[in-house]
Amino acid sequence: MTSSERLQEALDLNSFVTNAQSAAVKRAHPDADETDVRMRVASRWVRDPSLLLAAFGWDVSKRGY
């Protein structure tokens, strides 16, 4: 496999995981708007919740994953 093919595989896998997490968030929070869905997905990727609070005002302890 070439390096560009490996990169494409990694990007495809990342997209698959992100889409799966978005679907899970939408099932758990059917009334969430797209921003809420994106923030909840992002909060699963970012290891330090204080970064989300500082950058976006998203408090994981109050709003959840």
Side-chain angles (χ1 to χ4, degrees), residues 12-60:
D12 290 346
L13 181 58
N14 182 291
S15 179
F16 172 79
V17 170
T18 302
N19 289 338
Q21 288 184 345
S22 292
V25 167
K26 289 175 183 179
R27 278 193 306 277
H29 304 279
D31 296 330
D33 63 20
E34 194 59 34
T35 299
D36 283 350
V37 171
R38 288 180 184 194
M39 291 307 301
R40 289 177 190 279
V41 170
S43 69
R44 296 174 179 198
W45 287 74
V46 177
R47 296 200 183 271
D48 185 355
S50 68
L51 295 174
L52 288 172
L53 183 59
F56 302 106
W58 185 267
D59 189 346
V60 173

